[in-house]
Amino acid sequence: QSVLTQPPSVSGAPGQRVTISCTGSSSNIGGGYDVHWYQQLPGTAPKLLMYGNNNRPSGVPDRFSGSKSDTSASLAITGLRAEDEADYYCQSYDGRSASWLFGGGTKLTVL
Amino acid sequence: QLQLQESGPGLVKSSETLSLTCTVSGGSLSSSSDCWGWIRQPPGKGLEWIGSFYHSGSTYYNPSLKSQVTISVDTSRNQFSLELSSVTAADTAVYYCARHEYIGYYYMDVWGKGTTVTVSS
């Protein structure tokens, strides 16, 4: 069981908006540590999707956005497209254990 | 363009030591602020951070794996390595190396393609 909790799955129709939550605690997200998001397409390595809570690397469409509040963070995807179907992972740092943490991952299905 | 490539045996016997190497090209391990590390993903499961080392030479390991893990670096070859001792079937996974870029905080911006390691009995 991951210290950062994500829903196992979310789904949406093309064009719709979905959000993926990532819930931590006072020793990680709530402790002021930044949250990053990774997208993993089937059979490939994870790819950085969002860093520092709400910053997109070059090449990531602005359909993706991130936010953070208290002990949680969220990734929002608008205008869903078939190619967004992937696993999404949140990541933060835990000051108590001095460890980088990943959420358990959320599988996005585009209906 | 920075690239990372994992290499090592795809099959390791139970109780033996798993050894992998990450070769960095298009950049230098000696960068003053970056951090480099290993992450793994068991079949059908999520990502697990294994450990990382800083430019200062300090290394940090996942507390749950600390007794098994050693990360070392060879700056002359621009490579860093992972050793995981006394492996069991639970260590079967895809192993990734990644750079953690620093801009006031760290995030894993460049990943290798991963290498699959199977632990056999």
Side-chain angles (χ1 to χ4, degrees):
Chain A
Q1 188 174 355
S2 302
V3 176
L4 301 181
T5 301
Q6 297 180 235
S9 63
V10 297
S11 63
Q16 285 190 332
R17 178 181 186 269
V18 296
T19 61
I20 300 172
S21 61
C22 175
T23 302
S25 68
S26 60
S27 65
N28 41 72
I29 298 175
Y33 295 102
D34 294 280
V35 178
H36 319 300
W37 292 89
Y38 302 86
Q39 177 192 59
Q40 187 176 34
L41 297 171
T44 69
K47 166 194 164 186
L48 179 68
L49 188 68
M50 195 76 56
Y51 65 95
N53 307 316
N54 55 12
N55 298 288
R56 289 187 310 275
S58 174
V60 174
D62 59 7
R63 300 186 297 105
F64 294 87
S65 62
S67 64
K68 173 188 161 184
S69 178
D70 296 328
T71 58
S72 295
S74 290
L75 175 72
I77 311 171
T78 59
L80 263 184
R81 303 177 68 161
E83 59 258 38
D84 298 333
E85 193 160 283
D87 293 324
Y88 293 82
Y89 293 90
C90 62
Q91 183 205 25
S92 188
Y93 184 80
D94 189 274
R96 183 184 304 155
S97 60
S99 303
W100 274 285
L101 305 173
F102 287 96
T106 299
K107 181 175 181 59
L108 168 62
T109 300
V110 181
L111 303 170
Chain B
Q1 182 181 357
L2 183 70
Q3 292 185 316
L4 283 67
Q5 177 68 57
E6 305 88 351
S7 60
L11 190 63
V12 180
K13 291 185 178 179
S14 184
S15 80
E16 295 189 343
T17 296
L18 178 161
S19 297
L20 298 174
T21 296
C22 181
T23 300
V24 178
S25 58
S28 173
L29 277 176
S30 302
S31 171
S32 61
S33 57
D34 293 338
C35 180
W36 308 80
W38 291 93
I39 302 96
R40 70 180 182 180
Q41 185 172 33
K45 296 188 178 181
L47 302 169
E48 180 182 36
W49 172 69
I50 299 171
S52 303
F53 71 91
Y54 291 84
H55 64 279
S56 63
S58 300
T59 52
Y60 293 86
Y61 302 128
N62 186 322
S64 67
L65 299 170
K66 190 173 183 178
S67 63
Q68 283 183 272
V69 178
T70 301
I71 292 175
S72 58
V73 59
D74 185 342
T75 53
S76 66
R77 295 189 175 191
N78 227 23
Q79 295 177 331
F80 61 100
S81 299
L82 168 71
E83 287 195 341
L84 189 66
S85 63
S86 305
V87 296
T88 69
D91 296 307
T92 293
V94 177
Y95 285 76
Y96 299 99
C97 56
R99 181 183 76 168
H100 313 343
E101 186 171 37
Y102 182 73
I103 57 168
Y105 48 80
Y106 288 100
Y107 58 92
M108 300 175 186
D109 67 327
V110 181
W111 295 64
K113 292 183 178 180
T115 187
T116 300
V117 178
T118 302
V119 177
S120 67
S121 55

